[in-house]
Amino acid sequence: MIETTEQHSEAGMCRYPGCPAPPAPAPADKPGRRPSYCVDANHTPLTAYRERQRLKKAAVGDPSAPTPEDLDRPVSLSQVRAGELVGRIEALAVGLE
């Protein structure tokens, strides 16, 4: 895996998956390794890792990967649960009078 990342930076490509841009230029006043990602602020090691993981799941067809239909489900369930709790609290409050 290290060889792959080195090949990307040596080949003159950003390491972010699917980005054909060249890596950002190295600062002249700072020593160290040359940048591996382009000047896009969203292309960082963390976002590249997340994108690689997302692409892997999409390629395998992982059913646990969230789909737009699944994204609103927890909110809907929490609203139902909150409604049930409000009803129970109201019933208890009437019993206290």
Side-chain angles (χ1 to χ4, degrees):
M1 182 172 207
I2 293 173
E3 294 173 9
T4 304
T5 58
E6 291 301 320
Q7 288 172 354
H8 279 295
S9 59
E10 287 176 13
M13 291 176 49
C14 175
R15 286 181 50 197
Y16 192 86
C19 180
D29 59 341
K30 294 183 182 178
R33 205 167 109 181
R34 292 181 34 202
S36 300
Y37 296 92
C38 65
V39 295
D40 187 344
N42 293 325
H43 291 189
T44 64
L46 178 60
T47 58
Y49 172 78
R50 287 179 179 164
E51 180 66 9
R52 283 191 298 273
Q53 296 304 312
R54 186 190 69 76
L55 291 173
K56 268 189 209 176
K57 285 184 178 182
V60 174
D62 187 2
S64 68
T67 60
E69 297 84 32
D70 293 335
L71 294 178
D72 63 12
R73 186 169 179 218
V75 174
S76 300
L77 291 175
S78 65
Q79 288 175 342
V80 170
R81 178 74 177 141
E84 291 174 359
L85 292 174
V86 167
R88 292 169 95 187
I89 291 171
E90 289 173 347
L92 289 172
V94 169
L96 290 175
E97 294 178 348

